Amino acid sequence: MRLPHLPFHASPATRVAMGLVALMITLLLLSDLFVAGFLPNAAEQARRERVLSAQMLANQVVHSLQARGGRDVEALLKQALQREPQLLSAAVRAEDGQQLAAGDHAGHWRLAAGEASSLENVRATILAEGQPWGELQLAFEPASPRTLLGWLTQPVMLGAGLMTLLGFVAFQLYLRRAMRYLDPSTAIPERVSAALDTLTEAVLVLDTGEHILLANQAFRELAGGRQDLTGLSLTALPWLCAQAAEGEGLLPWQRVLRDNLPQLGRRMELQVGPAGPRQVVMNCSPINEGGGRARGCLLTFSDVTELHERTERLRETLVDLEASREQIRLKNEELTLLATRDPLTGCLNRRAFLEESQASIDAAASNGQPLSCIMCDIDHFKLINDCYGHGGGDQVLQAVSRALGRGLRAGDLLGRYGGEEFCILLPDATLEQARVIAERLRADIEANAGSAARQLDGVRVTMSFGIEQYGLRTADFSVLVDLADQALYHSKENGRNRVTAWSDMPSRDSQAAPRLTAMH
């Protein structure tokens, strides 16, 4: 058979494939010519489907007449229009001339009375109790296409086109593969193959179509001992392509064939056969002809599994060391918490409170910012201990410390100063601001602290407060705390459950003089 002449350059496999496709279509048309019905008749098939649709709808109308007196006949017609995309209109005409229609039936119905059904107009008799009651009339779109696009979209034409395309692809693939097997030794000489088999590195040689021209012994072992690799497309090795893929981009050897530039140092994990995963480093280099054009691609695979395993063991050791360091850090934080926090209330203990207060005192002294101190004490705490024991007293201490903590600002310091006494340091707060905060804390404790102590139903818990601002009378922290403590005892002596500033106390100058003198 003479190969067809083409106006463009095509490979012999392509030209033979096109000739075989033309021969296949010709034989198919001749078969239909001599064997009637070999190809489907679209018009006859459409006629049968439309007659069947008319019969089914007529049965539904008869059922509606018998069961519902025909009240939903019009709804049945509208549903048929929605269900059948080729149905243009539908009507039910009774023997007495009454008619129910859906769609533009008058514009689409072309049959005269008594005329037989056509492909576009189909009628079906409606029987009631064995007697003709009327007829169902259905108007369809024309079955035969009226435009070139309509003819081209016919099933026969689409089938012929699909058969042509699939036949061309199948013939070309088969012929290209068959032609590669005709003389495989012309691609890679035997002496070159034998030399490459001596290398410990796995080696592949590809042509421009990504087909394997040579796979040395090391690569065949990497591929699980396969020997039939010559002529295969590299896509037939999914275990390699899946690992070499880089997102939605080209595979490394595809980049080499396109750009004529090497792709080096690609690390991959290959899983082939029962030997387990192998860690390899892949390098791809172009094989050029005289004009600098890539004629193929050389792939090498270096097995670095042992090195990878050593690196992985080192990484695991580093992870373990990091985990140990994190555990040590958490233990140190726990020790710090135990060393700085009161175990019962969770507040700062006295030593930690004094250490952290020093930074706030230094900032207030250097920047001239206000700072206030609150001393507070639980009223009648000894009586609570005597009546409810130390367990009851502990519950009251915990309830009070929670109330004090939730009423303070971020940056305020709360410490258990001793027994039932607490000290609060308020950075950047004047005496009046400290009074407002202390009143809010006092009211919250009076309202909620008693009920928060679950085993002490009905116990009324209150606190007394004393406040003083840093810098008004002293620049010494210990004196500041002492003045707030004097104000606290004044609250105790004057009825408890109240807030007193040192400046609110009578004869405060005579009381403060010894401490101020001592400070100087």
Side-chain angles (χ1 to χ4, degrees):
M1 181 180 68
R2 183 176 178 178
L3 297 180
H5 175 73
L6 299 175
F8 56 89
H9 177 72
S11 65
T14 300
R15 298 170 68 186
V16 172
M18 294 181 67
L20 290 175
V21 167
L23 180 59
M24 180 183 64
I25 297 299
T26 302
L27 293 175
L28 183 64
L29 295 176
L30 288 175
S31 299
D32 184 62
L33 179 63
F34 291 103
V35 182
F38 185 77
L39 294 177
N41 189 326
E44 180 61 24
Q45 183 178 357
R47 186 190 67 78
R48 289 197 299 268
E49 291 177 352
R50 293 177 178 185
V51 169
L52 180 60
S53 298
Q55 292 173 351
M56 292 176 62
L57 185 56
N59 291 336
Q60 293 178 0
V61 171
V62 169
H63 177 74
S64 175
L65 291 173
Q66 293 174 349
R68 304 179 184 82
R71 289 190 298 273
D72 57 351
V73 170
E74 187 174 2
L76 288 174
L77 298 179
K78 291 180 179 179
Q79 290 174 6
L81 285 180
Q82 295 174 356
R83 189 170 57 249
E84 296 282 347
Q86 293 186 345
L87 186 60
L88 300 177
S89 66
V92 172
R93 181 182 294 276
E95 290 290 336
D96 58 3
Q98 295 183 359
Q99 177 175 301
L100 289 175
D104 184 14
H105 193 65
H108 296 296
W109 186 254
R110 298 287 184 270
L111 296 182
E115 188 176 355
S117 297
S118 65
L119 193 56
E120 283 76 27
N121 289 169
V122 179
R123 59 187 357 145
T125 302
I126 300 175
L127 300 177
E129 297 181 356
Q131 300 296 324
W133 179 86
E135 71 173 7
L136 172 68
Q137 299 175 352
L138 301 179
F140 291 91
E141 292 182 350
S144 301
R146 298 183 177 180
T147 63
L148 177 60
L149 180 61
W151 280 105
L152 293 177
T153 55
Q154 288 294 296
V156 174
M157 299 300 294
L158 291 175
L162 181 60
M163 187 175 295
T164 300
L165 177 61
L166 294 179
F168 174 77
V169 173
F171 287 146
Q172 187 180 44
L173 291 176
Y174 177 77
L175 289 171
R176 291 177 65 183
R177 184 175 181 84
M179 289 179 178
R180 282 197 304 272
Y181 277 104
L182 292 178
D183 190 8
S185 63
T186 58
I188 304 293
E190 185 177 352
R191 61 181 181 276
V192 177
S193 300
L196 293 177
D197 283 339
T198 63
L199 299 179
T200 57
E201 283 189 329
V203 177
L204 275 182
V205 178
L206 306 180
D207 64 8
T208 54
E210 303 177 44
H211 299 102
I212 299 175
L213 299 179
L214 178 140
N216 73 340
Q217 182 62 31
F219 185 84
R220 292 194 294 271
E221 292 174 357
L222 186 64
R226 287 189 61 174
Q227 302 295 323
D228 57 338
L229 296 176
T230 303
L232 283 180
S233 173
L234 213 53
T235 57
L237 305 178
W239 51 269
L240 175 58
C241 295
Q243 292 296 324
E246 300 176 346
E248 298 180 358
L250 297 174
L251 294 168
W253 51 86
Q254 293 173 340
R255 293 181 181 275
V256 169
L257 293 172
R258 185 194 66 180
D259 302 332
N260 199 23
L261 295 174
Q263 299 282 320
L264 306 176
R266 177 66 188 277
R267 288 184 171 270
M268 298 186 301
E269 180 179 274
L270 302 181
Q271 177 70 54
V272 185
R278 308 300 297 174
Q279 304 294 326
V280 301
V281 176
M282 181 179 68
N283 296 313
C284 303
S285 301
I287 301 174
N288 293 323
E289 62 180 2
R293 178 179 156 198
R295 294 284 295 178
C297 181
L298 176 68
L299 281 66
T300 62
F301 302 84
S302 301
D303 193 337
V304 293
T305 304
E306 185 177 354
L307 177 61
H308 177 80
E309 291 174 351
R310 292 178 181 176
T311 304
E312 186 64 21
R313 287 195 294 270
L314 178 59
R315 188 191 65 81
E316 292 174 356
T317 302
L318 292 176
V319 170
D320 292 341
L321 289 175
E322 183 64 25
S324 300
R325 188 171 67 176
E326 180 64 15
Q327 290 179 357
I328 293 172
R329 185 188 66 81
L330 293 175
K331 289 295 183 181
N332 287 336
E333 289 181 356
E334 184 179 350
L335 291 174
T336 301
L337 188 65
L338 292 174
T340 59
R341 295 285 172 171
D342 175 58
L344 178 63
T345 63
C347 303
L348 292 171
N349 58 32
R350 182 166 182 167
R351 180 182 61 80
F353 177 80
L354 294 176
E355 289 178 355
E356 295 194 21
S357 298
Q358 191 59 48
S360 300
I361 294 292
D362 294 341
S366 60
N367 300 329
Q369 295 177 344
L371 181 142
S372 296
C373 177
I374 300 177
M375 293 294 293
C376 49
D377 186 274
I378 301 174
D379 297 330
H380 302 298
F381 185 72
K382 185 176 183 304
L383 182 60
I384 294 173
N385 269 337
D386 293 342
C387 293
Y388 298 98
H390 289 290
D394 290 347
Q395 288 193 29
V396 171
L397 284 170
Q398 291 171 341
V400 166
S401 65
R402 288 194 297 269
L404 292 175
R406 67 173 173 260
L408 297 180
R409 309 165 303 171
D412 294 343
L413 297 179
L414 169 64
R416 186 179 178 187
Y417 216 65
E420 69 273 19
E421 191 173 28
F422 295 85
C423 184
I424 302 171
L425 201 64
L426 304 175
D428 201 20
T430 63
L431 184 65
E432 291 307 314
Q433 291 172 328
R435 190 190 300 273
V436 172
I437 293 173
E439 282 289 351
R440 184 171 68 243
L441 296 175
R442 183 200 62 77
D444 184 19
I445 290 169
E446 182 181 15
N448 302 310
S451 60
R454 297 180 182 177
Q455 298 179 3
L456 309 181
D457 256 355
V459 173
R460 182 170 178 264
V461 178
T462 62
M463 287 193 81
S464 299
F465 293 79
I467 58 176
E468 175 60 349
Q469 180 178 338
Y470 175 79
L472 294 182
R473 274 157 287 276
T474 180
D476 185 277
F477 178 63
S478 60
V479 176
L480 174 69
V481 172
D482 186 58
L483 294 179
D485 199 44
Q486 291 182 37
L488 165 64
Y489 278 99
H490 188 270
S491 295
K492 291 278 191 181
E493 293 170 355
N494 288 271
R496 295 181 171 82
N497 191 25
R498 65 184 61 233
V499 177
T500 303
W502 191 87
S503 57
D504 298 336
M505 297 167 52
S507 304
R508 54 186 181 274
D509 293 336
S510 61
Q511 295 176 18
R515 295 193 182 277
L516 294 173
T517 302
M519 179 184 67
H520 290 296

